[in-house]
């Protein structure tokens, strides 16, 4: 019963010993002046980072020391300086991400605590945010329900996925397997240009063209429908799906396709029975990344929607549009304070956690595809 814990402990101790040995070897093999230089550069950069966070007027001093040490190290010990510099900046990036997490969760906590509900005598923080359906931060009774915005986000995401997934996969299949080289070189940059267009431009086009047309055609009072917001966001997510899905399709070994064709199958049969199934994990990752883009889209939804939080009747009515989590934040953060501002941070936490899990899931699926096809892990 104790074999596994002992073996795990022995493995950890062996790993620690190897790390210490590598550290001693690094110190022994590095010239003293180089060691001092990179140490001063790393410590001064971290000190400047800490001073920046503390809003200290002395932040410029360690940063100047870092620049001098880095310049000297780059001239005398370029390779070692580059290694330490990249390591230090990577650590700083991780620290920034961690601080962002701490900040948004800390700012969201007051509303979570305010929305505590007792269930059978057990207090559950934040439960009221998800069991009520009214957002009323000013008019009594004060309520901060995020259910209407979550509902709007889900509808927009479903519609955007229905647009981006089939179009993106079809375009990736065309570029990877069907298009001649000349056509591929013309079409692919055009698709990637779509990713460079600011989201406010998409939203403005939707507001000035799609929304008025929808209001006339479907006899809708006012402007803003989840349907057309989803279509616009789906077009915005299209470049992400196409790019990642094409990479996944290109990673399928040519020997698999050639073997299929040698057995007498057609190009279409090879694509549908060999290429797509083999690259399914990567294509799924592409769709997940597109969904993440759709969930986090702000400006297009803010411009096109009404900005009046509430549930549609019936719930599946996509020809009406109120608010999403992102548009709620964009429309209210300038005037919000107190618990209302904290509630916006709760919306941010929901978006962050959702997109984080989608990103992790897509990376896991993509790594599994590489292992399946014999690529690098």
């Amino acid at each position: 019963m104790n074999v596994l814990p002992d073996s795990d402990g022995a493995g950890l101790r062996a790993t620690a010993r190897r790390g210490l040995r590598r550290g001693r070897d690094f110190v022994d093999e590095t010239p003293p002046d180089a060691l001092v230089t990179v140490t001063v550069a790393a410590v001064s950069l971290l000190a400047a980072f800490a001073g920046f966070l503390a809003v200290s007027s002395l932040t410029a001093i360690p940063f100047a020391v870092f620049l001098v040490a880095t310049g000297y190290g780059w001239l005398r010990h370029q390779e070692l300086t580059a290694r330490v510099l990249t390591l230090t900046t990577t650590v700083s990036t991780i620290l920034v991400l961690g601080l962002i997490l701490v900040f948004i969760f800390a700012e969201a906590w007051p509303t979570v605590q305010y929305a505590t509900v007792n269930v059978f005598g057990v207090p559950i923080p934040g439960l009221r945010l998800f069991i009520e359906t009214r957002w009323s931060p000013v008019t009594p009774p004060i309520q901060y329900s995020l259910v209407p915005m979550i509902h709007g986000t889900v509808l927009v995401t479903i519609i955007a996925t229905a647009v981006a997934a089939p179009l993106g996969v079809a375009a990736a299949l065309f570029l990877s397997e069907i298009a001649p080289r000349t056509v591929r070189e013309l079409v692919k940059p055009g698709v990637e240009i779509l990713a460079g267009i600011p989201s406010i431009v998409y939203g403005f086009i939707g507001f000035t063209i799609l929304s008025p047309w929808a209001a006339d055609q479907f006899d809708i009072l006012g402007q803003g429908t989840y349907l057309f917001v989803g279509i616009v966001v789906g077009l915005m997510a299209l470049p992400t799906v196409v790019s990642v899905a094409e990479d996944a399709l290109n990673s399928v070994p040519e020997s698999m396709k050639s073997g299929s064709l040698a057995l007498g199958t057609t190009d279409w049969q090879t694509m549908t029975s060999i290429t797509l199934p083999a690259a399914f994990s990567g294509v799924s990752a592409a769709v997940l990344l597109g969904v993440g883009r759709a969930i986090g889209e702000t400006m297009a939804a803010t411009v096109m929607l009404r900005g009046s939080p509430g549930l549609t009747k019936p719930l599946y009515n996509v020809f009406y549009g109120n608010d999403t989590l992102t548009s709620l934040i964009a429309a209210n953060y300038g005037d919000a304070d107190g618990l209302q501002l904290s509630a916006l941070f709760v919306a941010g936490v929901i978006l962050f956690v959702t997109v984080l899990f989608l990103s992790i899931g897509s990376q896991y699926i993509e790594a599994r595809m590489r292992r399946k096809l014999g690529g690098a892990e």
Side-chain angles (χ1 to χ4, degrees):
M1 296 294 291
N2 296 325
V3 173
L4 288 178
D6 290 343
S7 63
D8 291 343
L12 291 174
R13 287 192 294 271
T15 302
R17 284 195 295 269
R18 286 195 297 270
L20 290 174
R21 190 182 306 114
R22 284 196 297 267
R24 286 195 297 267
D25 292 342
F26 173 76
V27 173
D28 294 338
E29 296 171 1
T30 304
D33 62 327
L35 192 62
V36 171
T37 301
V38 296
T39 301
V40 170
V43 172
S44 59
L45 179 60
L46 293 177
F49 179 71
F52 173 77
L53 295 177
V55 198
S56 172
S57 58
L58 302 177
T59 302
I61 296 176
F63 187 70
V65 173
F66 163 74
L67 293 178
V68 173
T70 302
Y72 174 80
W74 195 263
L75 293 175
R76 297 293 301 274
H77 313 282
Q78 189 175 90
E79 181 179 354
L80 179 61
T81 302
R83 288 173 57 190
V84 174
L85 185 61
T86 53
L87 174 63
T88 307
T89 52
T90 301
V91 172
S92 300
T93 302
I94 296 173
L95 288 175
V96 168
L97 178 60
L99 291 171
I100 290 174
L101 282 174
V102 172
F103 177 76
I104 62 174
F105 276 93
E107 291 294 321
W109 179 248
T111 295
V112 173
Q113 195 172 27
Y114 172 81
T116 299
V117 175
N118 289 319
V119 180
F120 301 110
V122 179
I124 301 180
L127 183 60
R128 187 179 291 119
L129 298 172
F130 306 102
I131 61 175
E132 296 177 346
T133 60
R134 183 170 179 264
W135 170 270
S136 178
V138 178
T139 306
I142 303 299
Q143 293 179 329
Y144 299 103
S145 173
L146 295 177
V147 172
M149 284 65 73
I150 294 174
H151 168 259
T153 301
V154 170
L155 286 181
V156 169
T157 302
I158 291 174
I159 296 168
T161 304
V163 172
L167 291 180
V169 174
L173 195 60
F174 172 77
L175 292 174
S176 175
E177 304 295 325
I178 301 174
R181 182 183 180 86
T182 305
V183 176
R184 186 184 302 114
E185 291 177 351
L186 290 175
V187 173
K188 189 171 182 180
V191 173
E192 292 174 349
I193 287 175
L194 293 175
I197 300 176
S199 59
I200 188 67
V201 175
Y202 284 99
F204 185 71
I205 292 174
F207 177 75
T208 57
I209 298 176
L210 289 180
S211 291
W213 179 82
D216 293 337
Q217 295 297 317
F218 300 105
D219 196 21
I220 300 172
L221 295 177
Q223 294 190 11
T225 66
Y226 289 136
L227 175 63
F228 289 99
V229 173
I231 291 174
V232 170
V233 173
L235 293 177
M236 295 176 62
L238 195 58
T240 301
V241 178
V242 173
S243 179
V244 179
E246 186 192 5
D247 291 340
L249 293 169
N250 287 333
S251 67
V252 177
E254 193 65 32
S255 59
M256 295 177 65
K257 306 174 189 176
S258 300
S260 175
L261 293 172
L263 293 175
T265 61
T266 63
D267 290 337
W268 175 251
Q269 289 172 330
T270 298
M271 283 187 289
T272 55
S273 60
I274 299 297
T275 306
L276 273 178
F280 179 76
S281 295
V283 173
S284 301
V287 174
L288 284 179
L289 289 174
V291 171
R293 172 70 190 273
I295 291 175
E297 176 49 44
T298 302
M299 294 312 301
T302 303
V303 171
M304 294 182 65
L305 291 175
R306 302 167 189 268
S308 56
L311 293 173
T312 59
K313 296 180 181 180
L315 293 177
Y316 54 81
N317 181 12
V318 296
F319 293 98
Y320 203 84
N322 294 316
D323 241 335
T324 62
L325 290 169
T326 53
S327 63
L328 176 77
I329 296 172
N332 291 276
Y333 78 93
D335 300 325
D337 59 0
L339 287 178
Q340 182 181 1
L341 182 61
S342 178
L344 299 182
F345 275 99
V346 176
V349 168
I350 295 173
L351 290 169
F352 179 86
V353 172
T354 303
V355 175
L356 176 65
F357 276 104
L358 287 173
S359 178
I360 293 174
S362 66
Q363 291 180 21
Y364 170 75
I365 292 172
E366 197 168 1
R368 189 177 64 178
M369 185 199 71
R370 291 197 186 100
R371 291 194 297 269
K372 177 181 177 182
L373 298 178
E377 294 189 14

